Amino acid sequence: MSEFWLISAPGDKENLQALERMNTVTSKSNLSYNTKFVIPDFKVGTLDSLVGLSDELGKLDAFAESLIKRMAQSVVDVMEDAKGKVQENLLANGVDLTSFVTHFEWDMAKYPAKQPLVSVVDTVAKQLAQIETDLKSRTASYNTLKTNLENLERKSMGNLFTRTLSDIVSKEDFVLDSEYLITLLVIVPKPSYTQWQKTYESLSDMVVPRSTKLLAEDNEGGLFTVTLFRKVIDDFKIKAKENKFTVREYYYDEKEIKREREEMTRLLSDKKQQYQTSCVALKKGSSTLPDHRVKVTPLGSPDRPPAGRTDRERESEGEGEGPLLRWLKVNFSEAFIAWIHIKALRVFVESVLRYGLPVNFQAVLLQPKKSSTKRLREVLNSVFRHLDQVAAASILDASVEIPGLQLNNQDYFPYVYFHIDLSLLD
């Protein structure tokens, strides 16, 4: 991305010559790339109205910049792991932002210059306000979806003591609907596997022989089943604890497991089909996808869904952008275009206030070269230093205070100056 300086000087012969000197010096010294910035003639109205517009446009400029930053960040959030492709989705009228700024043309169809200046500003303000309203609504829906999905996935994180078991266990692992028998789940440390196999049947009376089965493992231990009579549950738990075996409280509920899996599938589908771009969809099992979960290896039934998978690994491959990304791309373009039009309006208003009537000024767009901004500023201040007197006279003649114009302020420039920093969108 780049930064630009948008300046203007009076359009009389002396100042046009000054602009030519500026172009010559900046070109020979390779300080900046300069182009004319064409702004249409607007219906000026009264000086009082221009002073009011100057203040309003300053606020609108800041609002527009903030809005496009938020929209750019939303694109980053939606595209997730494809953040390297974000810039190619942040376009204005189908071209990159630098090209749009350097080839700017006023959109007469959208913002008719024949309308009063106040009406043009009002049109831009209403457009941006509507985009912000829609942005809040759409991102709120997306964030709610992400939160719900993360809450479900959080249950799949952690070790065998805390994680959900819905993607590990199956109906066949349990003795269900028995008046006398029950199947417990026991977490056994890896170094104690042999001890468990040798002792589990004798930890208590009425343990069903050869009823243990290893269902899954994590880095620390394994999840085993054991079937016994209900009346010895308490005694078995005490003896298991003495041997550092942990009985995990779990009740197999097929309806709840089905509901949880369906909810996960629905949320994943919503996230991908309604919101997420295909450029983020990763191939199943991709080695480039970091997985911060404790890996749990399921054993037994080959039809059982693997545990510890992330949402992206569960997503199938597909093409096409979701509505949120499409909306963001279209409306980022609209907001950015509106922002540059606001810059043009500010140049017009400030130029009239500084240089007076009739309207006669020339706007120029400068793209400073890297590490040359200080020298470029010195050149501009030198070339246009005579405008100090012009600006001061304009204030005295108008008998009004021009917002932001302070001759003794170190940030004051003798020419009209506005900054466009596209690096903020990187």
Side-chain angles (χ1 to χ4, degrees):
M1 290 293 184
S2 306
E3 68 167 317
F4 297 90
W5 297 357
L6 188 52
I7 71 169
S8 78
D12 56 39
K13 182 178 180 180
E14 178 186 2
N15 284 289
L16 290 178
Q17 290 174 346
L19 286 171
E20 287 299 323
R21 289 198 304 275
M22 177 198 73
N23 285 329
T24 300
V25 174
T26 57
S27 177
K28 286 184 176 181
S29 302
N30 197 30
L31 298 178
S32 63
Y33 173 74
N34 309 335
T35 56
K36 283 187 177 182
F37 194 85
V38 180
I39 301 174
D41 289 333
F42 295 101
K43 294 183 178 180
V44 174
T46 65
L47 186 60
D48 284 344
S49 68
L50 284 183
V51 173
L53 280 178
S54 175
D55 183 58
E56 183 179 347
L57 283 168
K59 296 176 182 177
L60 191 58
D61 187 352
F63 172 72
E65 182 176 344
S66 170
L67 179 61
I68 63 175
K69 286 181 188 176
R70 282 180 281 155
M71 298 184 78
Q73 184 58 50
S74 294
V75 172
V76 172
D77 294 341
V78 172
M79 295 188 69
E80 296 181 335
D81 290 288
K83 291 180 180 178
K85 297 185 177 181
V86 167
Q87 293 302 329
E88 64 191 56
N89 287 277
L90 298 180
L91 305 176
N93 259 3
V95 300
D96 66 88
L97 305 184
T98 296
S99 296
F100 178 83
V101 173
T102 54
H103 297 85
F104 173 80
E105 293 183 5
W106 186 270
D107 190 335
M108 291 292 186
K110 189 177 296 183
Y111 312 114
K114 292 182 179 180
Q115 291 186 354
L117 201 53
V118 174
S119 299
V120 177
V121 174
D122 185 59
T123 298
V124 180
K126 287 180 178 177
Q127 179 192 11
L128 292 175
Q130 184 60 54
I131 291 176
E132 185 194 38
T133 299
D134 292 345
L135 176 66
K136 288 180 178 178
S137 174
R138 290 172 182 268
T139 53
S141 298
Y142 178 69
N143 290 333
T144 298
L145 173 64
K146 282 185 66 177
T147 299
N148 292 340
L149 185 56
E150 288 167 359
N151 289 338
L152 276 180
E153 289 197 315
R154 195 172 291 116
K155 295 181 180 180
S156 299
M157 297 180 180
N159 54 34
L160 291 170
F161 291 91
T162 58
R163 75 183 313 280
T164 182
L165 301 179
S166 62
D167 55 350
I168 293 178
V169 300
S170 67
K171 184 177 181 179
E172 291 73 23
D173 297 326
F174 296 85
V175 174
L176 300 173
D177 304 321
S178 171
E179 182 179 353
Y180 302 103
L181 296 176
I182 186 172
T183 299
L184 300 181
L185 298 179
V186 183
I187 300 171
V188 180
K190 280 189 174 181
S192 303
Y193 280 9
T194 301
Q195 179 189 354
W196 167 259
Q197 292 289 354
K198 290 180 178 179
T199 63
Y200 81 90
E201 294 180 7
S202 59
L203 290 177
S204 177
D205 296 334
M206 299 183 180
V207 177
V208 177
R210 297 186 295 279
S211 62
T212 192
K213 179 171 62 173
L214 178 60
L215 300 183
E217 294 180 296
D218 62 14
N219 295 333
E220 299 173 358
L223 185 69
F224 288 80
T225 61
V226 60
T227 301
L228 48 103
F229 279 75
R230 291 180 180 272
K231 64 181 182 180
V232 299
I233 290 177
D234 292 339
D235 183 54
F236 182 87
K237 287 181 178 180
I238 293 172
K239 295 294 178 59
K241 186 176 181 180
E242 291 175 355
N243 287 271
K244 298 183 179 179
F245 306 140
T246 304
V247 177
R248 166 137 182 203
E249 299 294 338
Y250 183 80
Y251 174 73
Y252 183 85
D253 186 336
E254 192 168 20
K255 290 182 179 179
E256 178 62 20
I257 289 175
K258 181 180 179 182
R259 185 203 65 77
E260 187 175 317
R261 288 175 178 171
E262 288 177 348
E263 178 70 1
M264 177 69 79
T265 300
R266 182 187 67 80
L267 290 173
L268 286 168
S269 176
D270 285 350
K271 186 177 180 183
K272 179 187 174 187
Q273 295 179 13
Q274 297 183 28
Y275 298 98
Q276 205 168 9
T277 174
S278 63
C279 66
V280 212
L282 301 178
K283 292 184 180 296
K284 185 179 178 181
S286 169
S287 61
T288 61
L289 178 64
D291 190 349
H292 301 294
R293 301 191 187 158
V294 176
K295 185 176 181 182
V296 178
T297 306
L299 304 173
S301 171
D303 296 327
R304 184 178 300 159
R309 291 162 62 200
T310 63
D311 62 328
R312 298 180 194 86
E313 287 174 322
R314 293 188 185 99
E315 290 178 356
S316 60
E317 298 173 28
E319 295 295 325
E321 296 169 349
L324 178 58
L325 182 63
R326 287 199 301 270
W327 184 90
L328 284 169
K329 289 171 65 175
V330 169
N331 286 275
F332 174 87
S333 173
E334 291 296 308
F336 184 85
I337 291 169
W339 184 43
I340 303 304
H341 279 74
I342 291 170
K343 294 291 188 183
L345 287 167
R346 295 195 74 185
V347 171
F348 180 88
V349 170
E350 297 301 328
S351 296
V352 174
L353 287 174
R354 286 205 186 193
Y355 309 140
L357 293 172
V359 177
N360 184 24
F361 67 90
Q362 176 63 60
V364 179
L365 183 73
L366 295 84
Q367 187 174 3
K369 303 293 184 180
K370 288 184 178 180
S371 304
S372 67
T373 55
K374 182 179 180 181
R375 173 58 181 154
L376 178 60
R377 180 71 67 202
E378 292 172 351
V379 169
L380 294 181
N381 288 342
S382 174
V383 170
F384 296 109
R385 62 180 179 271
H386 63 281
L387 292 179
D388 272 338
Q389 296 177 350
V390 175
S394 178
I395 294 176
L396 294 173
D397 291 345
S399 299
V400 295
E401 179 183 355
I402 299 178
L405 184 56
Q406 300 175 14
L407 296 182
N408 295 322
N409 191 316
Q410 61 178 356
D411 295 326
Y412 166 72
F413 309 112
Y415 43 88
V416 171
Y417 163 84
F418 292 103
H419 188 228
I420 303 173
D421 189 359
L422 302 188
S423 65
L424 298 174
L425 302 177
D426 287 345

